[in-house]
Amino acid sequence: MSWIPEAPVVSLVAFLVILFMSFYSIGPTQVGLVRKRFGRRLPGDNPLGFHGEAGYQAEMVMPGLRFKLFLVYAVTKHPWVQVPAGQIGVVIAQVGKPLPIGAKSAVYKPQFGNFTDLNVFVDNGGQKGVQRPVLSPGTLAPIHPVAFLVITKPEVFGVPFASDLNALAQKNRQLTCRAFGLEEKQLEVTRISPHPTEGGRVVDMIGVVTTLEGVPLPAGDIASRLGGFTDIEALEATSGTTDAKLIETILGNQCDRHSAYQDFQKFLDLGGKIGLQHDPLLYGAYNLNPFLLRVEEVPMLVIEQGQVAVVKAYVGLPTQDTSGAEFKFGSLVRPGHRGIWQEPLRTGKYPINPRSYQAVLVPTFIITLNWADVVSQAHNLDSQLKQIEAKSSEGFAFAIDLQVQIHIPDTQAPYIISMVGSVPNLVNEVLQAAVGNHFRNTLQSMPAVKFIASREMVQQGAFEYVKEELAKYRVETRGVYIQAVTLPQPLVEVLTQREIANQEVETYKMQKASQDQRTETEKAKGTADMQADLAKSQVGVGIQTNRTAARKMEAEGEATFIERTGSAQGAQVKSIGLARAEAYERQVAALGQGATALVNAVEALSKSNVPFVPNTLVMGGGDGGGGTLQGLLAVLMRQIDSSQTPKAVGSLPPKTP
């Protein structure tokens, strides 16, 4: 009977052991997961008992010293969920309603909060599976370790209920994100920021978003835009809406409506659809669910000064051509429609989605293209252009270095891209063929020497030809220049010999000209030495010439005077003579011949200065009248004999005393 007194002791010890084991000390960052050892069976596939069923209990033991009867309950400690800075936590619910067919994530309601209240989650229709919001960096929450799994970069919080995950957890003692198909980088905060390059240049980036859940896109659409393009239709219906306004509206980001995809539930409520999204993410940090979104960083569209960007839109309203019936190279549309926008984008930075729009950069500065071994430093458009090789009509092979300058007007850029696709196509397909064929045809139609001699004419002809050809593509030609011509060696030798001969001819001509110049110099020197005498003789000749001319003029004047004076005097004498003759006749008739002569002689003497007493007295015989008459006649005769030319009586010399 010795064992009877020991039974109470054993029972007491057992009781004390059970009592001791029924107390649990839960740390300040821990929760106690309660598992009931026996009870009613759990309903359905629910892993938690909410009403005393056997198994894991919905109620957790919170921090502190807690009592749970060891014989009925087992309590295991689990850490609070803690999300490190710069990382996110993805929540997967293992309790709740099943997801609808096709759904990839559970509907989220604001009442759920951070999923710390399991009863609220279940009572408000929480669903199993991936929860749409993620836990933000720095989150510290007592989340039920069976009801929810929380995946972070360092570890996975919770007890997986699925058998495969449970077996993996038992084997590795700790699950990682890879067990759920995630990379560690996907559990970091998504950051969109500039990327530095090796050359020190910074490239601006945007994030192109692809959603993995939502209603399907409409037929024909490749990207989802909230509300579609109804706002563009409304603007087009408003008179006076410019293309610039349409572009501004299209590129206006609507990410603020759903917190840049961070509120994925709101994104879906606003009509967001699965697939490529129209609006990209701009600079910033975003808490995005890696099960629901994928983000690809791409460079932002940067248009430098001297460029425009022609936009090819793959999304938008149906195509409505605005180029006119005469344009046969595709459709130009207003911004907001599918096709090539008629208005290009100008200098600036644009967060345009390259998966929805293709931007073709078109330089609007003067483009210099070299058909040579050198490549332009301002662009790389002439990297495929080589020297032009052609043959003359005699078969001589030429290599020509050519430079062509073109200009693409910014307003014509959409038309040019619609015709040729890109600027490299314009250069390599259109311009290269036009220029090369022109020079080949030109050289084949003329001798080599003529080409060399008429290089400037050939260059001008090339300019006119290229100008006309590029005008068909609405491109301006600013210049065509032949830089260098590589001549064939046989032709070089012939031309060299010809040039030497020409130079010799020119040398001989110059020597002859030198001798001629020497002769002229000597002649000029002699002329200079005789310049004084020559000047004197020239002056004498001039004086004599002037005298001769004066005498000639004087003689001519005197002759004219004499002629006219003689004519006048003759007429006068004639008139006087006739009058005197008539008077003499009447005197003779009245007085007689002798008396008439005497009267006239006395009258003449009275008008002259001749003295009445003559120097020589002529005495005659006869009667008195006859003697006197004879004396007067003697005086008259002496007067006549004293001069060859008859003079007036008054001009007789004075009487000598």
Side-chain angles (χ1 to χ4, degrees):
M1 296 294 182
S2 60
W3 56 271
I4 297 177
E6 294 179 355
V9 176
V10 173
S11 299
L12 179 60
V13 172
F15 174 76
L16 291 176
V17 171
I18 294 173
L19 182 63
F20 176 77
M21 296 182 65
S22 299
F23 284 94
Y24 297 91
S25 178
I26 309 300
T29 59
Q30 293 179 331
V31 293
L33 175 62
V34 180
R35 179 173 60 86
K36 192 175 182 180
R37 301 180 186 278
F38 50 86
R40 297 190 305 272
R41 184 179 179 180
L42 292 172
D45 58 353
N46 197 334
L48 293 178
F50 287 87
H51 304 287
E53 297 89 350
Y56 291 114
Q57 302 299 298
E59 182 181 2
M60 295 186 300
V61 178
M62 301 307 292
L65 185 61
R66 306 300 178 185
F67 176 80
K68 282 292 183 180
L69 185 59
F70 177 76
L71 295 177
V72 180
Y73 300 99
V75 178
T76 55
K77 299 177 183 180
H78 296 270
W80 284 26
V81 174
Q82 185 172 4
V83 181
Q87 301 178 20
I88 59 172
V90 180
V91 180
I92 300 177
Q94 299 186 110
V95 297
K97 297 179 179 180
L99 292 175
I101 295 176
K104 298 177 180 62
S105 63
V107 175
Y108 177 76
K109 297 179 181 180
Q111 300 91 313
F112 297 166
N114 280 350
F115 307 99
T116 56
D117 194 331
L118 179 58
N119 292 322
V120 172
F121 177 79
V122 174
D123 294 342
N124 287 278
Q127 297 173 325
K128 294 179 180 179
V130 176
Q131 303 301 300
R132 289 168 180 169
V134 296
L135 300 181
S136 303
T139 298
L140 182 62
I143 298 177
H144 198 290
V146 172
F148 301 99
L149 296 176
V150 179
I151 306 171
T152 65
K153 182 177 179 180
E155 61 179 307
V156 177
F157 294 90
V159 178
F161 187 69
S163 58
D164 55 341
L165 292 177
N166 199 349
L168 185 61
Q170 293 296 331
K171 180 180 179 181
N172 298 329
R173 294 189 179 181
Q174 185 176 359
L175 289 176
T176 64
C177 60
R178 296 182 181 276
F180 298 87
L182 297 177
E183 299 292 334
E184 291 184 350
K185 185 174 179 58
Q186 293 179 278
L187 294 168
E188 297 176 355
V189 173
T190 301
R191 291 180 174 86
I192 307 299
S193 59
H195 286 190
T197 61
E198 295 181 357
R201 181 171 170 264
V202 176
V203 179
D204 298 303
M205 308 296 287
I206 59 174
V208 176
V209 178
T210 301
T211 60
L212 305 178
E213 185 176 8
V215 297
L217 291 169
D221 288 353
I222 65 168
S224 171
R225 183 172 184 266
L226 294 182
F229 290 86
T230 55
D231 53 345
I232 303 301
E233 286 183 303
L235 284 175
E236 285 187 335
T238 304
S239 61
T241 302
T242 63
D243 289 347
K245 179 62 176 177
L246 294 175
I247 293 174
E248 180 182 356
T249 303
I250 294 169
L251 300 183
N253 203 303
Q254 302 184 69
C255 290
D256 58 333
R257 300 176 63 184
H258 44 67
S259 298
Y261 306 99
Q262 296 177 105
D263 190 346
F264 197 79
Q265 183 63 56
K266 190 173 183 180
F267 166 77
L268 296 177
D269 293 341
L270 291 172
K273 297 176 176 57
I274 191 172
L276 179 66
Q277 300 302 304
H278 181 276
D279 296 333
L281 294 175
L282 305 181
Y283 288 162
Y286 305 95
N287 301 328
L288 304 178
N289 193 325
F291 283 111
L292 303 177
L293 296 117
R294 294 286 187 269
V295 178
E296 176 190 5
E297 286 190 88
V298 297
M300 186 181 295
L301 175 62
V302 179
I303 305 175
E304 303 289 351
Q305 181 67 30
Q307 293 179 327
V308 296
V310 177
V311 178
K312 298 179 181 179
Y314 304 120
V315 297
L317 299 171
T319 302
Q320 292 181 0
D321 187 18
T322 61
S323 62
E326 297 180 356
F327 189 72
K328 306 295 185 182
F329 299 94
S331 300
L332 298 183
V333 299
R334 295 196 72 185
H337 292 261
R338 297 188 185 97
I340 297 178
W341 288 358
Q342 65 181 9
E343 179 68 19
L345 300 180
R346 288 170 169 80
T347 305
K349 295 183 179 181
Y350 299 89
I352 190 169
N353 190 334
R355 304 290 181 265
S356 301
Y357 303 94
Q358 180 185 356
V360 181
L361 292 178
V362 178
T364 56
F365 51 81
I366 302 298
I367 303 174
T368 301
L369 303 170
N370 295 295
W371 273 259
D373 293 334
V374 299
V375 178
S376 175
Q377 299 298 320
H379 54 78
N380 199 35
L381 294 173
D382 53 1
S383 60
Q384 298 184 18
L385 301 181
K386 304 299 180 184
Q387 285 182 320
I388 298 176
E389 297 181 355
K391 292 184 179 180
S392 65
S393 58
E394 308 96 335
F396 287 114
F398 285 82
I400 303 172
D401 285 357
L402 188 70
Q403 188 177 86
V404 177
Q405 292 182 336
I406 64 174
H407 173 240
I408 300 177
D410 58 348
T411 56
Q412 301 300 321
Y415 293 91
I416 296 171
I417 296 303
S418 183
M419 285 187 280
V420 299
S422 65
V423 178
N425 287 347
L426 174 68
V427 174
N428 298 323
E429 304 298 333
V430 177
L431 192 57
Q432 185 176 20
V435 172
N437 291 335
H438 172 75
F439 275 93
R440 293 185 187 95
N441 294 337
T442 301
L443 275 176
Q444 288 177 357
S445 63
M446 65 170 55
V449 176
K450 183 178 179 181
F451 168 74
I452 298 172
S454 59
R455 170 174 168 172
E456 183 175 354
M457 182 182 67
V458 173
Q459 177 176 285
Q460 182 62 29
F463 173 75
E464 298 296 336
Y465 176 80
V466 173
K467 180 179 180 180
E468 181 180 355
E469 286 297 311
L470 290 186
K472 300 176 183 178
Y473 298 89
R474 307 194 180 203
V475 178
E476 299 176 357
T477 304
R478 294 302 181 93
V480 176
Y481 309 101
I482 299 176
Q483 299 289 338
V485 178
T486 303
L487 304 177
Q489 188 60 33
L491 183 60
V492 172
E493 294 176 357
V494 172
L495 293 178
T496 301
Q497 294 174 0
R498 180 180 299 180
E499 183 61 24
I500 292 174
N502 290 335
Q503 293 299 326
E504 289 179 348
V505 171
E506 292 298 324
T507 300
Y508 297 150
K509 288 182 179 180
M510 292 181 67
Q511 290 176 350
K512 180 179 181 301
S514 176
Q515 295 300 326
D516 293 342
Q517 184 63 38
R518 180 181 176 186
T519 302
E520 292 295 328
T521 301
E522 293 295 334
K523 181 179 179 181
K525 183 178 179 181
T527 302
D529 293 341
M530 299 297 294
Q531 192 66 31
D533 296 340
L534 179 61
K536 185 176 179 180
S537 62
Q538 287 179 346
V539 171
V541 171
I543 293 173
Q544 189 63 35
T545 301
N546 291 339
R547 287 178 177 176
T548 302
R551 288 180 179 178
K552 180 179 179 182
M553 292 178 66
E554 182 180 359
E556 290 177 353
E558 186 176 355
T560 303
F561 174 77
I562 293 174
E563 180 181 359
R564 294 183 179 180
T565 303
S567 299
Q569 288 178 351
Q572 181 181 6
V573 170
K574 181 178 180 181
S575 299
I576 295 173
L578 290 176
R580 286 180 176 177
E582 185 178 353
Y584 286 161
E585 289 179 357
R586 291 182 181 179
Q587 285 181 351
V588 170
L591 299 177
Q593 185 174 3
T596 301
L598 180 59
V599 170
N600 287 316
V602 172
E603 182 180 1
L605 289 174
S606 65
K607 295 180 179 179
S608 66
N609 294 325
V610 179
F612 282 95
V613 179
N615 293 331
T616 304
L617 179 63
V618 181
M619 299 298 292
D623 55 1
T628 304
L629 179 60
Q630 290 177 355
L632 292 173
L633 290 174
V635 173
L636 292 173
M637 291 302 296
R638 192 177 63 181
Q639 181 69 26
I640 293 170
D641 292 336
S642 65
S643 177
Q644 293 297 329
T645 303
K647 296 182 180 180
V649 177
S651 63
L652 292 176
K655 182 179 177 182
T656 305

